[in-house]
Amino acid sequence: MELWYTEKQTENVGITCKTEKTLHVEQTEFQSMAVIDTMQFGRMLVLDGMVQTTIEDEFVYHEMITHVPLNTHPNPQNVLVIGGGDGGAIREVVKHPSVKKAVLVEIDRRVVEISREFFPEISCGLGNPKVSVIYDDGIKHVADHKDFYDIIIVDSTEPVGPAVELFSSSFYKSISESLREDGLFVAQTESPFFNSDLISGCYRKISEVFPITKLYLASIPTYPSGLWSFTMGSKKYDPEAVDVLAVPDYPTRYYTPKLHKGSFVLPKFVEGLIKP
Ligand code: SAM
């Protein structure tokens, strides 16, 4: 018998994957969680019915949410990842030799435990000696650490449940206070096709706090519409001014220094979303 998993991405659109096996289902304190083996994308982590990561396409998201900000800052030493309990962003952060301390603040301990068990390829960086894993609300952690981080990466779920406040003006202000005087941050900001209001809102709120605000894109097949956005707020460094010839050749599959620049070149309709 064929079994298929569907994520209803909007009221009218879904992504459907043929499955081999459902490996795990549970209700955590914060969300429902499932691990499924799919035929096309390999193992898949699902939270509250939304695909978080898959073995086949996780590299795009994790490389683009990390190497773009880390290669924009000339000397990132203290890096914070908020959310990101699968460990993929941390795996990429620790590839940078300048990083002395990488902190993961994940609200849901079970996401980390399940990722360690079922996604060793993604969670492998969590065991790196530079990494500390803290189980807490990212909002509280940021408020408690002023003038501390060089880079903050908001690798959150969609704006539902505990992630709602991660898309608010007050959180962006708090992030700015948690960053050092030349710090920068990046957040995943959803799909330009399906979440245009969210993108416009986040961009406006971030640009009210940060002098340099830039949006960039990547192509991620299992995320709604396949086109995904990230928004960076920076106090000093412009991600488009990076000298691509000076960027070392990290072991990546999607990110390249040329693509770093190219990802900020936006389709006209996306430019329209972030016009003042
Ligand atoms: N790449 C993913 C995506 O865009 O679908 C996000 C992956 S990661 C699994 C998202 C994590 O954010 C979840 O594990 C969730 O528990 C965590 N999270 C949500 N709200 C949070 C908060 N306020 N503080 C810390 N972690 C949070």
Side-chain angles (χ1 to χ4, degrees):
M1 183 173 60
E2 289 188 358
L3 291 173
W4 296 74
Y5 165 73
T6 296
E7 173 187 335
K8 213 170 127 196
Q9 297 180 330
T10 72
E11 284 302 308
N12 307 306
V13 179
I15 181 174
T16 299
C17 300
K18 191 170 171 184
T19 65
E20 275 189 281
K21 205 170 182 184
T22 300
L23 298 163
H24 184 80
V25 179
E26 80 172 87
Q27 178 64 46
T28 75
E29 189 187 340
F30 298 96
Q31 52 215 337
S32 62
M33 175 162 60
V35 180
I36 305 167
D37 272 342
T38 71
M39 306 289 282
Q40 188 69 45
F41 295 109
R43 197 157 287 181
M44 176 183 271
L45 176 68
V46 180
L47 293 177
D48 283 340
M50 290 173 270
V51 177
Q52 299 298 304
T53 198
T54 81
I55 292 296
E56 282 303 312
D57 69 352
E58 58 88 10
F59 65 98
V60 183
Y61 178 87
H62 292 132
E63 290 178 15
M64 290 302 280
I65 203 168
T66 53
H67 298 306
V68 176
L70 270 91
N71 285 335
T72 296
H73 195 292
N75 186 25
Q77 298 191 358
N78 283 346
V79 179
L80 169 65
V81 176
I82 295 175
D86 50 67
I90 284 285
R91 181 195 63 199
E92 298 303 312
V93 166
V94 296
K95 286 181 182 172
H96 290 251
S98 67
V99 172
K100 292 191 172 143
K101 194 172 168 52
V103 179
L104 180 87
V105 177
E106 164 62 61
I107 204 164
D108 192 342
R109 174 187 291 270
R110 289 298 294 148
V111 176
V112 176
E113 289 169 352
I114 284 297
S115 300
R116 282 195 156 123
E117 184 177 348
F118 290 100
F119 297 90
E121 312 86 332
I122 300 177
S123 60
C124 52
L126 294 174
N128 187 295
K130 293 176 182 175
V131 175
S132 314
V133 180
I134 297 171
Y135 298 111
D136 203 353
D137 190 329
I139 295 163
K140 181 172 168 290
H141 182 88
V142 160
D144 291 346
H145 290 77
K146 305 273 188 220
D147 190 22
F148 191 77
Y149 289 107
D150 298 307
I151 295 193
I152 297 178
I153 295 168
V154 186
D155 181 4
S156 69
T157 36
E158 288 64 19
V160 287
V164 171
E165 286 301 311
L166 300 178
F167 294 79
S168 67
S169 287
S170 56
F171 181 58
Y172 299 141
K173 282 188 198 119
S174 188
I175 282 198
S176 172
E177 288 165 11
S178 187
L179 288 168
R180 303 189 71 185
E181 39 93 29
D182 61 349
L184 56 94
F185 99 103
V186 68
Q188 72 87 4
T189 44
E190 312 273 304
S191 157
F193 284 105
F194 295 167
N195 311 99
S196 51
D197 288 349
L198 180 136
I199 289 178
S200 301
C202 287
Y203 192 89
R204 181 183 47 76
K205 290 180 227 169
I206 294 170
S207 58
E208 282 164 5
V209 178
F210 288 89
I212 300 167
T213 303
K214 298 266 165 105
L215 184 131
Y216 61 98
L217 297 173
S219 194
I220 307 174
T222 56
Y223 283 0
S225 88
L227 184 67
W228 210 244
S229 75
F230 303 85
T231 306
M232 185 188 291
S234 174
K235 293 186 179 183
K236 182 169 178 186
Y237 306 112
D238 181 343
E240 289 190 273
V242 165
D243 175 5
V244 291
L245 297 174
V247 173
D249 188 15
Y250 298 104
T252 56
R253 292 174 64 203
Y254 190 88
Y255 178 91
T256 67
K258 267 192 188 166
L259 184 83
H260 175 123
K261 288 217 163 170
S263 64
F264 289 90
V265 179
L266 304 177
K268 212 169 188 175
F269 84 98
V270 182
E271 275 181 346
L273 300 181
I274 60 172
K275 275 216 174 98

